């Protein structure tokens, strides 16, 4: 009997026929392989699958919406355990600002549901229509509004997960404070499915702001734009989002910019004010005053259509960049905010050194940049050069006092990079925590590995797009 | 040679002469004992002391300001490693909203420093003049403003700690996002000195609000007051703080209430609006409208003196409660916010059952109550009854879906209580994490123990005050 048949004998229709291709990769397009794909419908079912596999030494790759870009959901044999069918809202108490959802609920559905009650799930990780809340918690996803509202993990008050060898563990719940035990919850948040399989989460919500006012401030160049960025922060303004986009990024999106891209625009500082109408207007006006000095153009749409169009354009930029040459090799480095200018400049210089078109944009208020190299995904030589370029990028991030990953995680593609950033004892603890939760190394094996790569070993080539 | 002499031979004047009493207990007044008290002046020095002790199997109890109430800093032999002399501000960049401080800086000094630059350290744990930032991070302290701004750990972007067997480990830094490794930082936050000795932290700051407007709304009873509490939340108002105080608590503080306690006041909902002047005024007006319906009195001071007096009165309540009978046995349970009324009611009932005067007050927006039993600390019989009462209290918290500790931690006094709250596998992981960081069990031994107590074993009697 094949593994698939054995699993079907035990778990019936939870086991798919064959291994459909969409379960074998993620947005990294890394080609994975699996012997079976299982879609349990309950947390207990997911736990039983984990226990079954653990007993038989079968690797298990947990999978959310598959929108990761670091290859974290790319399986290497064994079982893909997809959370798609764990999609129940277990409870929703809008009057108490909280919701209890299973891991497979898409982030978009969650956001729509809570918006209908005048609330918001404050973080806004990308690809909401496809990404699932379990995956967003497992990667501790970020997004533009992390500047004011923090990352996904900051909103998790409780978490349920299947832990090897196959037990369903629950910590926290519908409570806003808890210091009774070591923070197992935060250890599972961002662990990329290597310590446990998140099956459900309790989330804090917030009353939605009355209005949300974006302010797009175009500058003539990087230096001017980054000076405006630092000015905003040092002026004590607290925007909800504080994004930057460099000249090459703007070039990718110039055709689709609502109303046409202003002439001479070589840098965009995209900020957002939110709150009550008066409060948002006050902050928006301050943003224009402080960041608009010397700007080549300022656009501050006030109607719902204009606002939606602007953010839709922003969301589409990653795809516009891909469209340029067919692929991008992009990372999500973090630097202290005053080093954003230097990191953006160096990104371009690294591209030049490796004969690649480079661009940088991202969540600048948090110092979190999407530094990207445009590539033709069929051109292996380009991919090899792009890999060399991202190595330089990681070196840069760490040299500037930052991190190799702000929101995508290590996955498969960044394995070994943590060794640049942490000392030997921290790396050792990292490995020991993995062994403690998953002594057989069967849970998403090969992912979020901290240690340096063996000589000659290197991660697979991928476009991360 | 005594241990003290041996240590002095190695570490010179960092080792105190004798073991002064103030280093042998904390606010729990639990009498501890130690063979030596060491006050290193640098993180490297602290690490060297830990390494020295670890090699010789000498227990080490880390100590901050000694303001804990769970006996977490109460030593049982070996070395007290006090952080008092690690009191440097390593860097302060007000224009970038961040500061890098050593563990021994008092929370009050930190707050004063950042306030001088128009910023705030958003959480406000108690006893700021004496408590140290390292201790506040090690206990993940809360306070009234956690409702809007979260707990201390939410503001830590980087952390340096001495980890057994004696290495200085640093994770994170002056960066606002980082998902490169497992969240070692959050594992050390709230670990109460049992996994490592925090020597320095990087903190995020926020621009201080223009104004802070408290609103004190007095109700005729618990039911009316708790209805007002839930109304505030369900109305979508976001106050900075949302506190409650029951009739017995008000009785303790009635003599000192600024301007005199209103007649018929049997419950106080103390909320605070902050932000720009307009925003704070708007929120304060909403608070009065929503929570003031049916109130017996409303006081909303607008001058700095009145505001300061109100919060000073609030801060002094714990001491006013102690003054009633000489001591209190108080805990910091958490329940879902809609169960606050029930938890307050049950606190009184538990007191009656054990023939003790009980009261409850606390950070109700977070469901975090200080349920307290007034005792004469010389009366052993009362202390025994109070211990039985807090057992009932922990049972209550867990039965209502809550936690045995929202901000004080387990320390020595709550050891074993986590077993009510977590399942066997989570408890097992808790113990394994401890063994992983501290295989010889020398770091603050006996504290934050999760497992159930041995038959007949019980924590020492203490007044927690």
């Amino acid at each position: 009997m094949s593994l698939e048949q054995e699993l079907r004998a035990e778990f019936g229709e939870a086991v798919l026929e064959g291994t459909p291709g969409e379960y074998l990769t993620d947005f990294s397009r890394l080609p994975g392989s699996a012997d079976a794909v299982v879609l349990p419908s309950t947390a207990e079912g997911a736990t039983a699958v984990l226990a079954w596999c653990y007993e038989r030494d079968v690797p298990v790759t947990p999978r959310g919406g598959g929108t990761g870009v670091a290859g974290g959901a790319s399986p290497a044999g064994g079982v893909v355990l997809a959370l798609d069918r764990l999609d129940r809202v277990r409870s929703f108490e809008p009057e108490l600002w909280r919701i209890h959802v299973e891991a497979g609920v898409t982030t978009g559905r969650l956001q729509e549901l809570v918006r209908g009650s005048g609330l918001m799930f404050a973080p806004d990780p990308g690809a909401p229509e496809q990404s699932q809340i379990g995956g967003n918690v497992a990667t501790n996803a970020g997004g533009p509004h992390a500047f004011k509202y923090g990352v996904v993990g900051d909103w998790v008050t409780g978490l349920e997960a299947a832990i090897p060898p196959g037990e369903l563990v629950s910590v926290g719940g519908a409570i806003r404070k808890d210091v009774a035990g070591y923070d197992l919850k935060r250890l599972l948040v961002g662990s990329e499915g290597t310590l446990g399989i998140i099956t459900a989460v309790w989330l804090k919500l917030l009353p939605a702001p009355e209005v949300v006012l974006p302010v797009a401030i175009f500058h003539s160049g990087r230096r001017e734009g980054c000076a405006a960025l630092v000015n905003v922060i040092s002026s004590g303004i607290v925007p909800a989002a504080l994004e930057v986009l460099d000249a090459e990024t703007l070039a990718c999106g110039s055709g689709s910019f609502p109303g046409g891209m202003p002439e001479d625009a070589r840098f965009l500082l995209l900020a957002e004010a939110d709150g009550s109408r008066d409060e948002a207007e006050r902050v928006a006006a301050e943003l224009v005053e402080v960041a608009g000095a010397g700007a080549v153009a300022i656009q501050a749409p006030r109607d719902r259509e204009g606002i939606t169009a602007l953010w839709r354009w922003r969301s589409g930029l990653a795809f516009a960049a891909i469209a340029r040459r067919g692929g991008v090799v992009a990372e999500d480095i973090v630097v202290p905010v005053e080093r954003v200018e230097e990191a953006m400049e160096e990104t371009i210089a690294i591209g030049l050194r490796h004969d690649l078109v480079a661009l940088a944009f991202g969540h600048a208020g948090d110092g979190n940049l999407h530094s990207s190299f445009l590539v033709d995904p069929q051109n292996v030589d380009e991919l090899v050069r792009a890999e060399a370029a991202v190595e330089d990028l990681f070196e840069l991030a760490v040299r500037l006092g930052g991190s190799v990953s702000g929101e995508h995680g290590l996955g498969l593609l960044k394995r070994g990079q943590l060794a640049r950033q942490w000392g030997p004892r921290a790396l050792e603890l990292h490995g020991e925590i993995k062994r403690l939760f998953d002594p057989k190394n069967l849970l998403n094996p090969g992912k979020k590995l901290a240690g340096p790569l063996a000589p000659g070993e290197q991660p697979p080539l991928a476009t991360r797009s």
Side-chain angles (χ1 to χ4, degrees), chain A residues 179-194:
Chain A
V179 294
Y182 296 138
D183 205 342
L184 290 191
K185 188 183 73 191
R186 286 304 283 241
L187 200 49
L188 284 157
V189 168
S191 66
E192 304 183 37
T194 63

Side-chain angles (χ1 to χ4, degrees), chain A residues 54-136:
Chain A
Y54 220 78
E55 202 181 322
R56 288 162 184 77
D57 294 331
V58 174
V60 177
T61 302
R63 179 187 179 82
T67 59
V69 294
S74 178
V79 166
V80 170
L81 196 160
L83 281 308
D84 306 21
R85 292 183 188 167
L86 266 90
D87 64 352
R88 285 188 314 138
V89 175
R90 292 190 183 167
S91 68
F92 177 34
E93 287 127 344
E95 73 285 4
L96 300 169
W97 309 358
R98 68 187 190 219
I99 194 165
H100 182 196
V101 293
E102 291 183 341
V105 170
T106 64
T107 307
R109 191 180 142 213
L110 170 75
Q111 283 168 334
E112 199 177 341
L113 178 67
V114 308
R115 247 194 321 257
S117 293
L119 298 170
M120 68 170 173
F121 175 59
D124 57 340
E129 299 312 320
Q130 190 175 341
S131 77
Q132 298 172 0
I133 189 65
N136 275 316

Side-chain angles (χ1 to χ4, degrees), chain A residues 82-239:
Chain A
L83 281 308
D84 306 21
R85 292 183 188 167
L86 266 90
D87 64 352
R88 285 188 314 138
V89 175
R90 292 190 183 167
S91 68
F92 177 34
E93 287 127 344
E95 73 285 4
L96 300 169
W97 309 358
R98 68 187 190 219
I99 194 165
H100 182 196
V101 293
E102 291 183 341
V105 170
T106 64
T107 307
R109 191 180 142 213
L110 170 75
Q111 283 168 334
E112 199 177 341
L113 178 67
V114 308
R115 247 194 321 257
S117 293
L119 298 170
M120 68 170 173
F121 175 59
D124 57 340
E129 299 312 320
Q130 190 175 341
S131 77
Q132 298 172 0
I133 189 65
N136 275 316
V137 172
T139 53
N140 202 7
H145 292 92
F147 180 66
K148 180 171 179 180
Y149 293 108
V151 291
V152 168
D154 295 335
W155 297 88
V156 178
T157 65
L159 183 150
E160 179 193 82
I163 308 270
E167 277 164 272
L168 196 58
V169 167
S170 186
V171 285
I175 48 174
R176 296 169 57 99
K177 287 168 92 177
D178 182 11
V179 294
Y182 296 138
D183 205 342
L184 290 191
K185 188 183 73 191
R186 286 304 283 241
L187 200 49
L188 284 157
V189 168
S191 66
E192 304 183 37
T194 63
L195 303 182
I197 303 167
I198 294 170
T199 53
V201 288
W202 285 259
L203 301 172
K204 278 195 294 190
L205 305 168
L206 264 188
E210 188 185 354
V211 291
V212 168
L213 302 177
V215 181
I217 301 174
F218 294 91
H219 280 277
S220 55
R222 186 194 307 125
R223 183 184 304 174
E224 295 78 5
C226 286
L229 164 73
V230 172
N231 280 346
V232 167
I233 296 174
S234 62
S235 300
I237 307 172
V238 185

